[in-house]
Amino acid sequence: MQSNTQIYLYVLKLTGVIAIVLSLLFNSLNPMFLKNKETAKKKAILSCIPGQDMSADVQSVFDQKVKISILDANGNILFDQEKPAAESETEIKTALDKLNERGQGVKYSKLVDIDLASEEKFAAENRVYPIYQYEGDEGKNYFVLAVRGNGLWDKIWGYVALEYADKWQVAGVNFDHKGETPGLGAEIKDNADFKAQFENKQIFNEEGKYVSVQVLKKNIKHPEYQVKAISGATVTCDGVSEMMQRGIGNYLPYIKGLQSADNKAIGQR
Amino acid sequence: MAQDTQQLAEAEKKEPAFGFGKEERQLLTDPLNDNNPITVQVLGICSALAVTSQVYPSLIMAVALIFVTSFSNLIISMLRNSIPGSIRMIVQLLVIAGLVQVVEIVLGAFAYSAYESLAVFIGLIITNCIVMGRLEAFAMANKPWRSFLDGLGNGIGYGVVLVAMAIVRELFGKGSFMGWKVMPDAYIANNLMVLPAASLFIIGIFIWIQRSLNPKLVDVS
């Protein structure tokens, strides 16, 4: 029979050994994990762009072609990346430091780190929204917006690429989810046909009113901005609809600003 | 008492530390059929229902569990004489939890897509009854090498059933294998197979087939 002191010591020693092993392992592998996470995010953003070759080196394509801007809750530009990240390090750092001052344990060290999951910790008026501007060939530009909402079981999120060709329209979307039902709600991510429906949909109706892209079960009267829901996944699809409505809405002042400044300039900013 | 332990210690010395005789082979092969953790002991069902909708995550899950069962068995067996009896389960959990963390960190760094698709289920290996069951039933009373083999065998026994189920479910539920389309285009995927409920009756069918083929498993009562 062992004394209590011996038992305490035993547990302490074992916990200490396991803690040391785990922290060493974590410290040596965490940079790889963070890089994987970043690549996955860049991949998700690029996959919204039509005709994007996803087998290419995502990191270098993203760094060359995508510029990130930050909008505040009213749609004003807080930071506009005009040069590649390597050439504007100090400006980026000042902008990020300002964001990090808001607290809540949010620490961004790169522009691409900014995500809506972290922004949700702040009050609505303090949030910022990232916008990813993709410079395509022949001066064709895409604006990728981040959206986030609720599915049936947990959070859903995605990226929406918009382009301006006489009208604002969706060029492509990418959705992901935390825990939707496989085969039903999870189809918003897995089903390519569902995502393809969003292509070339408009976000303003004929009268110029903002409508977003609506996901409906039936009664599709306006195929120019309505798509068909996945059968058996009504709640998730309603969530997607709501997420698009609110998510694109966050960027609306910015989008309208681009439009009113100069229609032609949208393509070659 | 002192003599007994001395005799035991001498007996232990005579046996080779890493022998691989008939008994050791049985430790590995028993859980594959006669004593399969899923179909015979009906342990670890939770993850078998949840992750088997596709082959690739099931494969990763199987490898992760094989790692955790074999190494937790090894470590607990090495510590078995020093673990205070009153807190043995806490110590077992501590070792399992540590190993599961190792799996999670390594997956995040080297197999990110699997890490994403398995998400919470990696963490839930901690509660997988197979791991704790083997620690209590085997590792606490056996030497390290044998315990390691027992853990390996049980992990493989679990993995084989898991991957077999995933092959059936992905084939009929999505018409594919490891993401490659194998069914003809005319095949309409059966969504029921992707739902967790499908794995219940697939396990049932597996158990049925196994029991009718294996005379040892016929319930005499």
Side-chain angles (χ1 to χ4, degrees):
Chain A
M1 194 62 202
Q2 283 150 301
S3 73
N4 278 350
T5 333
Q6 277 175 312
I7 293 179
Y8 288 138
L9 275 176
Y10 188 86
V11 174
L12 275 179
K13 273 191 277 183
L14 193 65
T15 318
V17 170
I18 292 178
I20 290 171
V21 171
L22 282 182
S23 51
L24 283 178
L25 190 72
F26 178 80
N27 275 333
S28 54
L29 292 184
N30 201 40
M32 284 172 78
F33 171 70
L34 292 178
K35 194 152 186 269
N36 286 339
K37 213 172 150 186
E38 194 186 307
T39 315
K41 183 177 182 180
K42 290 178 173 174
K43 223 174 184 163
I45 293 168
L46 286 181
S47 68
C48 304
I49 312 289
Q52 184 64 40
D53 177 16
M54 293 310 291
S55 58
D57 179 10
V58 174
Q59 289 277 4
S60 64
V61 171
F62 190 95
D63 292 343
Q64 276 168 20
K65 294 204 166 173
V66 177
K67 294 200 176 94
I68 303 172
S69 305
I70 310 170
L71 307 184
D72 71 5
N74 300 320
N76 303 319
I77 301 168
L78 284 181
F79 178 79
D80 211 0
Q81 187 190 0
E82 274 157 6
K83 287 174 279 184
E87 291 165 36
S88 48
E89 265 172 37
T90 45
E91 288 119 8
I92 292 175
K93 203 176 170 302
T94 2
L96 289 177
D97 282 347
K98 219 170 172 184
L99 295 183
N100 291 340
E101 273 170 22
R102 293 174 301 167
Q104 301 280 13
V106 172
K107 284 262 176 292
Y108 296 132
S109 57
K110 286 178 183 167
L111 277 177
V112 72
D113 289 346
I114 299 171
D115 69 338
L116 297 188
S118 307
E119 291 301 321
E120 272 176 355
K121 295 176 188 165
F122 302 109
E125 66 269 20
N126 289 333
R127 287 180 199 165
V128 297
Y129 299 92
I131 183 159
Y132 309 91
Q133 197 180 332
Y134 179 92
E135 215 167 297
D137 300 329
E138 297 148 17
K140 195 164 190 182
N141 276 14
Y142 297 95
F143 297 87
V144 183
L145 320 179
V147 293
R148 192 174 166 88
N150 294 305
L152 173 59
W153 303 115
D154 215 316
K155 290 288 176 189
I156 54 175
W157 60 92
Y159 297 97
V160 181
L162 295 182
E163 62 178 323
Y164 190 85
D166 300 328
K167 288 177 191 125
W168 280 104
Q169 58 180 24
V170 176
V173 291
N174 188 333
F175 298 122
D176 205 341
H177 60 91
K178 196 170 170 196
E180 298 306 300
T181 319
L184 299 173
E187 292 287 291
I188 60 166
K189 177 189 181 190
D190 302 331
N191 191 334
D193 293 339
F194 175 70
K195 289 189 274 190
Q197 284 189 91
F198 287 84
E199 284 163 25
N200 303 324
K201 296 290 171 196
Q202 288 156 25
I203 58 168
F204 297 100
N205 67 7
E206 304 98 61
E207 289 118 46
K209 194 173 161 264
Y210 170 62
V211 286
S212 164
V213 183
Q214 297 159 358
V215 186
L216 298 177
K217 264 183 102 171
K218 51 187 176 184
N219 292 336
I220 294 184
K221 287 181 188 140
H222 300 280
E224 66 274 16
Y225 58 83
Q226 291 172 339
V227 299
K228 205 172 172 336
I230 295 161
S231 53
T234 312
V235 179
T236 310
C237 286
D238 286 350
V240 172
S241 206
E242 189 274 340
M243 171 171 83
M244 297 286 280
Q245 171 80 33
R246 191 174 36 79
I248 300 176
N250 290 330
Y251 294 92
L252 219 50
Y254 176 79
I255 293 170
K256 282 183 173 159
L258 283 179
Q259 200 174 345
S260 57
D262 185 357
N263 276 352
K264 275 182 189 162
I266 292 165
Q268 292 112 28
R269 220 169 59 89
Chain B
M1 186 71 194
Q3 262 184 340
D4 280 354
T5 36
Q6 214 171 8
Q7 277 173 351
L8 261 175
E10 276 171 20
E12 274 192 25
K13 265 180 208 160
K14 277 172 197 162
E15 274 180 52
F18 295 103
F20 197 79
K22 196 174 164 232
E23 276 178 52
E24 278 83 4
R25 201 174 321 127
Q26 217 167 9
L27 286 177
L28 266 183
T29 53
D30 240 22
L32 298 187
N33 187 0
D34 294 349
N35 204 12
N36 189 287
I38 293 186
T39 58
V40 180
Q41 300 176 44
V42 199
L43 293 175
I45 291 292
C46 159
S47 54
L49 298 185
V51 300
T52 51
S53 64
Q54 281 164 48
V55 178
Y56 179 62
S58 314
L59 207 61
I60 297 285
M61 186 71 183
V63 173
L65 196 101
I66 291 170
F67 172 80
V68 174
T69 48
S70 45
F71 281 92
S72 64
N73 260 11
L74 178 72
I75 293 169
I76 289 296
S77 171
M78 274 158 41
L79 297 175
R80 71 186 189 282
N81 294 325
S82 70
I83 298 175
S86 50
I87 54 158
R88 66 174 200 290
M89 289 215 159
I90 298 170
V91 172
Q92 289 166 4
L93 266 182
L94 196 61
V95 171
I96 300 171
L99 285 168
V100 169
Q101 278 302 308
V102 170
V103 169
E104 196 161 353
I105 295 171
V106 170
L107 276 186
F110 296 106
Y112 188 76
S113 63
Y115 171 86
E116 268 199 321
S117 61
L118 286 171
V120 305
F121 293 106
I122 290 293
L124 286 180
I125 294 179
I126 297 173
T127 61
N128 194 314
C129 317
I130 299 172
V131 188
M132 194 107 178
R134 291 327 292 172
L135 292 184
E136 271 291 283
F138 200 91
M140 286 300 286
N142 285 279
K143 276 179 275 168
W145 172 237
R146 283 194 178 182
S147 301
F148 180 76
L149 288 178
D150 178 78
L152 200 63
N154 274 282
I156 295 172
Y158 166 89
V160 166
V161 176
L162 209 66
V163 172
M165 276 173 65
I167 290 175
V168 175
R169 287 181 68 187
E170 194 180 331
L171 187 65
F172 293 107
K174 296 206 158 147
S176 59
F177 173 75
M178 297 273 283
W180 291 303
K181 210 153 179 63
V182 285
M183 290 296 231
D185 284 342
Y187 178 74
I188 296 166
N190 183 350
N191 253 345
L192 178 63
M193 296 302 262
V194 186
L195 298 179
S199 37
L200 268 179
F201 57 72
I202 295 174
I203 288 188
I205 292 170
F206 277 10
I207 295 177
W208 181 15
I209 296 172
Q210 195 194 7
R211 299 223 164 173
S212 47
L213 291 179
N214 191 337
K216 280 189 202 160
L217 295 177
V218 175
D219 199 349
V220 280
S221 56

